[in-house]
Amino acid sequence: MTKFSVIIPIYGNVGENLNQCVNSLLTQTIRDFEIIIAGSKVMDESEKIINDIKVKNININTNRLGKLMNEAFKVSDGEFIHVWQPDLVVYPDYLQSLSEYIAKYGDNNLY
């Protein structure tokens, strides 16, 4: 089981933002995570970005974010699920810091 499943829901045109988001994930200092991109009606270069990296890609024909997220949760293997918006860019040690926090304080305060 991986430590983190990072789910990125995409809808509409998010290509450039998704590229930056995924790049910030790929530079993380820990490797114990998976990327799950859950999308519906991808209309831009997001599809190319998805195909260029190794991720779990879920393509669901729905307008409902809840349905999209439920399907992503079903395929996740992580002990912890982290939902990122496609425009989120984080520091390279973000997941490492989160992992250290969990080790020190437990997971009772996470939401």
Side-chain angles (χ1 to χ4, degrees):
M1 175 182 286
T2 55
K3 180 82 167 189
F4 298 103
S5 291
V6 179
I7 299 174
I8 306 170
I10 59 171
Y11 33 88
N13 299 322
V14 297
E16 182 57 35
N17 289 332
L18 180 63
N19 192 30
Q20 293 172 0
C21 176
V22 169
N23 283 335
S24 77
L25 260 174
L26 296 176
T27 60
Q28 291 298 298
T29 55
I30 66 169
R31 299 322 243 165
D32 194 13
F33 67 92
E34 66 179 351
I35 303 171
I36 301 171
I37 297 179
S40 173
K41 302 178 184 174
V42 178
M43 296 179 251
D44 59 4
E45 68 265 16
S46 298
E47 187 171 11
K48 180 183 181 318
I49 295 165
I50 292 166
N51 292 332
D52 285 349
I53 59 174
K54 293 181 179 174
V55 297
K56 289 182 181 177
N57 182 25
I58 304 167
N59 192 351
I60 300 169
N61 188 14
T62 183
N63 298 359
R64 296 179 23 223
L65 180 59
K67 182 174 173 90
L68 202 59
M69 295 305 297
N70 285 339
E71 294 302 316
F73 290 145
K74 287 179 188 175
V75 301
S76 68
D77 291 327
E79 182 179 357
F80 299 98
I81 296 175
H82 203 321
V83 178
W84 287 17
Q85 294 306 312
D87 60 352
L88 182 63
V89 176
V90 295
Y91 291 107
D93 64 346
Y94 178 79
L95 290 176
Q96 178 68 41
S97 297
L98 184 56
S99 183
E100 290 169 2
Y101 178 89
I102 292 168
K104 186 173 182 178
Y105 300 107
D107 61 1
N108 293 334
N109 296 323
L110 298 178
Y111 57 92

